[in-house]
């Protein structure tokens, strides 16, 4: 009885003390809605990134773009300005300005930078592609040019780039001819398959600390693991590169999805991330967006057509993010633009017209996809979602 009384008195006293201290409104923890994506992602050591259009970033008439890029994201990728045609439009003359601007923006806002991209068949300068086609640049010279480009660019940004997309989109698609997946494009054609291992070795020599990624699209889920399964092809390629000691540290899955396609679930996507990380590789989603067809009904504002697309888009963002959260080596989740005001989709997918692919609409109103991403970041944790495991660059 005595013990009960003592304990009871303690509780009463404590209650009295608490009551005496008025609860300050500003002391309550922020609600999920009030938190930024980057604050919520930090709980998992996950970098949440966006591709940045440096023209929009510079545009004084569009301050919201800059404000959201800074406040919501902890990683940035240059949407275009680190591509070869932008960095070296004239042979031997580099244009570092726009890329430096982005790096400075990231420094100010304490953001990581993903380097995109060193070796790709698109957005190459005309002096290079023309030189090769008219024979003034021969095979040995082309190899030297590539080595020189990788070395110059990687050294220039050394210490400022956390992850480099070293080789981008090297694998063909099942709709190409032949339908069995193969190495496609300019570099494979002119240098042969060895250029991939070479590129990783040259990048490693130029920066011992950046994580070096192979990056591609349509590798979210395994298919039948046969000759036309692109995900399987990239997986076996990565396995071979690891087995032969090539300094590849990660595989980036771009994550360009469309609501009109089959779509995946989080467990299918996780299976692929786990397969890569079992090879000792880091993983990342590097260019996530989920577009929809802009039908007449959508454009006329018909909610019967708009709502299911917004919902399906949100669900696809969530599928990729949940899989990433559940794979401890998935280091970053990057969206390819965050607002429909500045998205590559309408310009690239115009027949039939597509759009509505990003987290915010054209007036910077967050869409359902934004809230779903936020909810996934907020409401996940142990035992299946644990902090990231850091990746050591392979020498
Ligand atoms: C796109 C940019 O978003 C566009 O602005 C540009 O005109 C073309 O390239 N895969 C990639 C990215 O790796 O570099 C592409 O970016 C989108 C597809």
């Amino acid at each position: 009885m005595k013990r009960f009384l003592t304990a009871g008195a303690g509780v009463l006293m404590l209650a009295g003390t608490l009551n005496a201290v008025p609860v300050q409104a500003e002391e309550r923890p922020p609600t999920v809605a009030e938190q930024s994506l980057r604050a919520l992602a930090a709980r998992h050591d996950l970098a949440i990134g966006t591709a940045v259009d440096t023209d929009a970033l510079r545009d004084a008439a569009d301050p919201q773009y800059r404000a959201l890029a800074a406040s919501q994201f902890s990683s940035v990728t240059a949407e275009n300005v680190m591509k070869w045609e932008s960095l070296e439009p004239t042979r031997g003359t580099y244009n570092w300005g726009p890329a430096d601007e982005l790096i400075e923006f990231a420094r100010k806002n304490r953001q990581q930078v993903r380097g995109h991209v060193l070796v790709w068949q698109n957005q190459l300068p005309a002096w290079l592609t023309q030189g090769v086609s008219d024979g003034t640049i021969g095979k040995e010279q082309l190899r030297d040019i590539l080595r020189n480009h990788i070395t110059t660019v990687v050294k220039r940004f050394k210490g400022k780039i956390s992850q480099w997309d070293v080789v981008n989109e090297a694998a063909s698609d099942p709709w190409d001819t032949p339908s069995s997946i193969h190495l496609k494009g300019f570099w494979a054609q002119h240098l042969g398959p060895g250029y991939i291992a070479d590129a990783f070795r040259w990048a490693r020599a130029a920066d011992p600390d950046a994580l070096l990624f192979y990056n591609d699209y349509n590798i979210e889920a395994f298919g039948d693991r046969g000759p036309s399964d692109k995900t399987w092809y990239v997986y076996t390629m990565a396995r071979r590169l690891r087995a032969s000691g090539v300094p590849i540290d990660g595989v980036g899955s771009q994550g360009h999805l469309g609501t009109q396609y089959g779509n995946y679930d989080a467990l299918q996507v996780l299976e692929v991330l786990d397969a890569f990380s079992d090879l000792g590789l880091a993983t990342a989603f590097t260019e996530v967006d989920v577009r929809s067809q802009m039908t007449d009904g959508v454009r006329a504002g018909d909610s019967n057509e708009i709502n299911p697309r917004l919902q399906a888009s949100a669900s696809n963002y969530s599928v990729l993010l949940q899989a990433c959260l559940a794979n401890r080596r998935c280091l970053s989740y990057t969206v390819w633009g965050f607002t429909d005001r500045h998205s590559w989709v309408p310009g690239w997918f115009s027949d039939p017209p597509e759009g509505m692919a990003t987290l915010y609409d054209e007036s910077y109103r967050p869409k359902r996809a934004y809230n779903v991403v936020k909810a996934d970041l907020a409401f996940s944790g142990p035992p299946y979602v644990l902090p990231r495991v850091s990746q050591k660059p392979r020498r």
Side-chain angles (χ1 to χ4, degrees):
M1 186 59 181
K2 190 174 176 229
R3 278 177 67 190
F4 171 79
L5 278 175
T6 318
V11 169
L12 281 176
M13 270 177 61
L14 185 63
T17 323
L18 281 179
N19 281 338
V21 182
V23 176
Q24 303 281 315
E26 56 270 26
E27 276 175 19
R28 97 180 142 65
T31 63
V32 172
E34 286 164 352
Q35 298 260 34
S36 66
L37 299 180
R38 70 183 282 179
L40 292 167
R43 301 163 58 242
H44 309 286
D45 301 329
L46 177 72
I48 182 120
T50 183
V52 171
D53 171 346
T54 46
D55 292 334
L57 199 65
R58 218 176 287 129
D59 184 357
D62 193 357
Q64 286 187 82
Y65 186 85
R66 208 180 170 85
L68 289 172
S71 62
Q72 294 292 323
F73 300 96
S74 53
S75 171
V76 290
T77 306
E79 185 172 359
N80 287 300
V81 299
M82 288 189 192
K83 292 172 181 173
W84 201 327
E85 68 174 8
S86 308
L87 286 181
E88 199 187 5
T90 322
R91 188 164 183 181
T93 311
Y94 280 85
N95 172 31
W96 303 112
D100 284 346
E101 261 176 63
L102 181 64
I103 290 201
E104 176 54 17
F105 177 82
R107 194 194 56 76
K108 267 200 219 131
N109 296 299
R110 300 178 323 282
Q111 292 167 313
Q112 297 180 23
V113 183
R114 287 199 87 256
H116 179 82
V117 53
L118 297 172
V119 193
W120 190 29
Q121 60 272 20
N122 291 355
Q123 294 179 275
L124 291 171
W127 63 261
L128 177 61
T129 50
Q130 268 165 27
V132 169
S133 61
D134 68 21
T136 55
I137 297 176
K139 183 180 158 162
E140 267 317 303
Q141 216 190 337
L142 182 62
R143 206 165 166 270
D144 288 346
I145 289 172
L146 180 61
R147 181 177 48 224
N148 189 39
H149 175 77
I150 292 175
T151 307
T152 306
V153 173
V154 174
K155 280 200 169 151
R156 179 66 170 54
F157 297 117
K158 188 165 133 41
K160 295 172 176 163
I161 301 268
S162 55
Q163 305 176 0
W164 265 113
D165 288 333
V166 177
V167 177
N168 194 35
E169 302 183 352
S172 68
D173 294 290
W175 57 82
D176 292 330
T177 311
S179 67
S180 55
I181 311 298
H182 53 276
L183 295 180
K184 70 173 182 191
F186 183 83
W187 298 105
Q189 214 173 305
H190 297 291
L191 295 181
Y195 84 89
I196 295 184
D198 288 342
F200 281 97
R201 293 200 178 99
W202 295 330
R204 173 56 77 232
D207 185 345
D209 298 321
L211 294 179
L212 306 181
F213 277 70
Y214 176 79
N215 193 51
D216 217 328
Y217 60 90
N218 283 4
I219 57 166
E220 294 84 12
F222 287 123
D224 63 4
R225 303 184 193 219
S228 300
D229 182 343
K230 184 172 180 178
T231 309
W232 183 247
Y233 180 91
V234 169
Y235 169 74
T236 31
M237 180 176 83
R239 192 173 60 194
R240 260 189 244 120
L241 291 170
R242 289 293 287 187
S244 46
V246 174
I248 174 176
D249 302 306
V251 171
S253 182
Q254 294 183 357
H256 292 293
L257 301 179
T259 60
Q260 70 272 39
Y261 300 121
N263 305 154
Y264 309 112
D265 64 63
L267 299 190
Q268 277 177 294
V269 175
L270 178 58
E271 187 186 7
V272 176
L273 300 184
D274 286 348
F276 283 126
S277 60
D278 286 349
L279 299 176
L281 292 162
T283 62
F285 284 103
T286 56
E287 308 186 9
V288 180
D289 58 9
V290 190
R291 61 190 188 270
S292 287
Q293 290 191 3
M294 302 296 282
T295 61
D296 292 344
V298 167
R299 278 184 288 179
D302 179 354
S303 59
N304 281 313
E305 294 211 18
I306 293 173
N307 282 339
R309 288 180 170 82
L310 291 176
Q311 188 69 27
S313 181
S315 162
N316 278 288
Y317 271 97
S318 172
V319 161
L320 301 187
L321 180 54
Q322 288 186 354
C324 180
L325 284 166
N327 177 274
R328 298 190 71 187
R329 288 183 183 268
C330 184
L331 303 180
S332 57
Y333 180 95
T334 294
V335 297
W336 204 244
F338 57 89
T339 167
D340 291 340
R341 192 185 195 91
H342 301 286
S343 162
W344 74 306
V345 167
W348 272 79
F349 303 91
S350 47
D351 184 22
E354 296 184 62
M356 296 201 299
T358 71
L359 300 175
Y360 292 83
D361 72 11
E362 290 180 12
S363 314
Y364 295 107
R365 279 183 300 248
K367 299 194 288 193
R368 198 164 294 163
Y370 173 84
N371 281 341
V372 163
V373 164
K374 202 169 228 190
D376 284 340
L377 293 170
F379 306 143
S380 55
Y384 296 116
V385 174
L386 299 167
R388 309 301 87 189
V389 176
S390 68
Q391 180 80 9
K392 272 185 73 187
R394 190 180 207 195
R395 312 276 177 205

